[in-house]
Amino acid sequence: MGLTKQYLRYVASAVFGLIGSQKGNIVFVTLRGEKGRYVAVPACEHVFIWDLRKGEKILILQGLKQEVTCLCPSPDGLHLAVGYEDGSIRLFSLLSGEGNVTFNGHKAAITSLKYDQLGGRLASGSKDTDVIIWDVINESGLYRLKGHKDAVTQALFLREKNLLVSSGKDTVVKWWDLDTQHCFKTMVGHRTEVWGLVLVSEEKRLITGASDSELRAWDIAYLEEIEDLEEPEPKKIKGSPPGVQDTHEAEDGTLEVDEALEDRILTCRKAGSIMREGRDRVVNLATDRTGRMLACHGTDSVLEVFCILSKEEIQKKMDKKMKKARKKAKCVSLLFTDNQSCWTSESTRVLFSSRLNSCNGEEEDLEVRVEMTLQDEIQRVTNIKTSAKIKSFDLIHSPQGELKAVFLLQNNLVELYSLSPSAPTPQPVRTSRIALGGHRSDVRTLSFSSDNIAVLSAAADSIKIWNRSTLQCIRTMTCEYALCSFFVPGDRQVVIGTKTGKLQLYELASGALLETVDAHDGALWSMCLSPQQRGFVTGGADKSVKFWDFELVKDENSTQKRLSVQQTRTLQLDEDVLCVRYSPNEKLLAVSLLDCTVKVFYVDTLKFFLSLYGHKLPVICMDISYDGALIATGSADRNVKIWGLDFGDCHKSLFAHDDSVMYLQFVPKSHLFFTAGKDRKVKQWDADRFEHIQTLEGHHQEVWCLAVSPNGDYVVSSSHDKSLRLWERTREPLVLEDEREMQREAEYEESVAKEDQPAVPGETQGENYFTGKKTIETVKAAERIMEAIELYREETAKMKEHKAICKAAEKEVPLPTNPILMAYGNISPSAYVLEIFKGIRSSELEEALLVLPFSYIPDVLQLLEQFIGRGSDVEVLCRALLFLLRIHFGQITSNQMLVPVIEKLKETTISKVRQVRDAIGFNLAGLEYLKRECEAKSEVMFFADATSQLEQKKRKRRKREKLILTLT
């Protein structure tokens, strides 16, 4: 039997041309002790760390497959939490760039991530309507909070209290008590989706942003404080007079779904609204880390910045207002004789009573009261206008008082602005911009140079030349909307075909536009260089095919000649031309038309030769093999057809993609070809055997075009996600049978994870109250536990048999050792089970035990009793034990055989946990002592440092004085 045909595997080599993708948010990160210099930006499945000062990419946090949707740095600045499209969360170390911890609990994309003040807990909100609290230190889930009926948009921890506040697209804001894990308050005062919320003024005020131009402010009062004031709470009365009703509405604009007063932890009253200038919905609402600066933006390019004033600043402002009011009141009191009430301004009400002495005209008893409004507490600072629509932003307040705002824009751009909020008229200044590493719009054409080193990418406004090995952009040139391109032989010039039908000729050395030629009246859809390399052919929407030759013409600006193009012939057709291709011997020209056919003509006489018809929709792309035997056509009908070029017969029709086939190209010197589709995939095919070889997955949006290098070792593809991806041919052989097997395994693993129905907002079917979710990893972990217990059962049975044999033989018989136990260092079977337990990730332990059948539980409980009795890994084992007791409580308590085991477990567990707690307490006390010692030493050091700094300053002053003296 002959060997199966082997191919060489192409693998993903790099992602480039992308500065930041749109789905996630940009955040400032602390690296090398510097704040405000580095930003983390989502880039498809990866996270890029950019240096804003140098405009360089300094670190890539490697993702797997899913797109990044949310980022949140830890309070200590050492870690970055990254949320993905599939609901998983990974914690990356910013020092090493490795993601060691993975949390799987959500069924849909992560929409919100927030750490608590110490960074020990992480709250994640998702499109699956749940909020999950994760223990970062123990690397496990704590609990799931269910209550929202639509996607969660934000979740925040309170610093002082063990509470959490969350908002959702279901128009409500929910308050959660984390001690009891229940929702104790639901605010239903919004009529539209709540897109964001922030806590300001020492967590005494909540500000929410919805789908209108209002930012609503709510005053938060905690129950203990209300009890201290001992004031009865006013209640709304249905039949109250309109005036009374209005005053209550102003105080409490929210309709609250609330329990009785004794069950309530806090009250929320509407304090008022701040009007935004934008008329559309709030996209992002955030404060800086100090909570002093508040900013928000809508779907446009304007960020509105507000300042939350401190108590002292508000007091100063009110004193000024009082002065003004008194002054005005004095003036007005001269005009009135009776008690009056008048308005002096929109925001200040002055009440006064004046009695005029008829004898001397002097006034007595002037009383003035000034009311404080929300506008006095939250002051508009300025607006920051960016160069394109804002997708996300982050703020940082430097110790010098400067506010830095970094933006991720819609057009693949990062901008940094700085402003001084304390200035009388703060003016935002753009201090940095990362633009070189990518195009502003989708790349529509790609080409390789003849030496495989340079890659050309062209979009709606620019052409970029990239070095394939370093992935650096080495030249950027402005152009019109590019649709097709190629390198002129010699790789010194490039030709671009544009949407307006122009040919643009550029020189690479200088980046200059040499010539623009009006080639077609409509879009110039396709170009093909002639095999003899003396000219090329173009096809456009004006129903014509034009032939061009290269020529050297005299340059007006210099003595040397420069390259130009000259039209030689025109072929007029009945339909728009979508694609043109030469046969390798330059005898035939294939032209695809809008009428779904491909017409083949003789190049020399332009006479009609063949018509290839069979596609149901127009042929968008095609290519002819190196030997001129085959032509492959890709169409919007999702099919690829392979034809013989000798008779025009269709060899095979392949259902290639789930959407339109956008690009097709043969690998040089072979009958293998690549196709790119709107279904986000790049696929490789064998045109001889009509087989699908492999799928290159990675793009997250439609793939527009691709280019295969002249030596066939590299493929570069571009997509609507703004990324360019490089794929490299390896030496690893690819066997189709193995590939199909791997594909089936991947499909099985996906189906395991998706066994429950996908989450529908508010649905109760298949609800999961634990924090984890079933994944292929948890299933494998459960299988490992089952295998370990089976091995333990077998080995204990063998040991019993061995003892009986030794007793019968009255001598020691050698016991054969299990090879698995030998691999672990000749350990006992029970120790092997413990190793397996320790090897399971902390975040997957509960879900793995949930899958475990009850028949294994008695053995597990007996082993846990042994392990805890020895005092080994008490924390992990107690977690496993308590979880098993929770989920199998009924069966365990009704099983008489397990009663003595549970009794023993009760004794050993309590004593061992107490020992661990005492050890931790002792260690904490020791650390506190060391901390005090260090602080005492550092105080001494501080004074020593201060004296040395003073001496240094004096020396510098003396030097400066000497320098001035010498100059004068």
Side-chain angles (χ1 to χ4, degrees), residues 94-331:
L94 289 171
L95 301 173
S96 63
E98 290 175 4
N100 301 323
V101 183
T102 305
F103 295 134
N104 282 307
H106 291 288
K107 294 177 184 174
I110 302 294
T111 52
S112 162
L113 285 174
K114 273 288 179 294
Y115 279 95
D116 68 351
Q117 193 186 2
L118 298 170
R121 292 177 299 172
L122 178 70
S124 63
S126 165
K127 282 185 180 176
D128 66 3
T129 75
D130 293 349
V131 176
I132 300 181
I133 311 298
W134 305 93
D135 185 339
V136 175
I137 297 151
N138 195 28
E139 299 177 10
S140 63
L142 293 173
Y143 35 82
R144 186 185 290 263
L145 306 173
K146 302 175 87 67
H148 281 288
K149 298 282 184 283
D150 206 335
V152 178
T153 54
Q154 186 63 281
L156 300 173
F157 285 101
L158 273 77
R159 285 181 189 173
E160 304 302 324
K161 318 267 176 186
N162 194 22
L163 305 176
L164 181 102
V165 59
S166 65
S167 63
K169 283 169 75 176
D170 54 359
T171 76
V172 299
V173 173
K174 284 184 175 285
W175 290 85
W176 307 86
D177 183 350
L178 298 184
D179 292 326
T180 56
Q181 294 127 48
H182 83 287
C183 172
F184 65 88
K185 187 181 199 68
T186 302
M187 292 163 57
V188 290
H190 301 88
R191 295 283 168 266
T192 56
E193 297 98 331
V194 184
W195 289 102
L197 54 84
V198 288
L199 289 159
V200 294
S201 308
E202 296 166 0
E203 300 186 337
K204 297 282 174 66
R205 177 159 287 156
L206 179 77
I207 295 174
T208 57
S211 293
D212 49 22
S213 54
E214 259 182 80
L215 291 180
R216 291 168 179 80
W218 313 84
D219 282 335
I220 303 164
Y222 300 100
L223 192 62
E224 302 92 78
E225 293 164 21
I226 296 169
E227 282 170 358
D228 292 347
L229 295 170
E230 290 180 355
E231 284 183 11
E233 191 173 345
K235 291 210 171 182
K236 283 194 187 175
I237 307 153
K238 266 193 180 176
S240 60
V244 177
Q245 185 72 26
D246 288 350
T247 54
H248 285 313
E249 275 294 334
E251 281 176 16
D252 186 6
T254 173
L255 303 161
E256 291 177 359
V257 178
D258 239 344
E259 287 85 355
L261 183 63
E262 53 269 26
D263 300 335
R264 209 184 297 162
I265 295 162
L266 53 82
T267 60
C268 243
R269 302 198 161 278
K270 189 171 181 187
S273 294
I274 308 158
M275 297 309 291
R276 292 166 48 235
E277 287 178 9
R279 306 248 69 80
D280 46 7
R281 77 173 180 89
V282 171
V283 175
N284 283 312
L285 174 69
T287 59
D288 67 330
R289 308 237 161 93
T290 61
R292 183 169 166 76
M293 304 307 295
L294 168 75
C296 69
H297 74 88
T299 53
D300 52 8
S301 59
V302 177
L303 181 82
E304 298 178 43
V305 184
F306 301 89
C307 183
I308 316 286
L309 300 181
S310 62
K311 284 179 184 172
E312 294 79 25
E313 288 170 323
I314 295 168
Q315 193 55 51
K316 272 187 191 174
K317 208 172 181 187
M318 296 317 291
D319 290 347
K320 272 188 187 175
K321 276 199 170 183
M322 184 67 94
K323 253 187 183 177
K324 267 191 185 177
R326 277 191 181 138
K327 213 174 181 183
K328 279 208 171 176
K330 271 185 184 178
C331 302

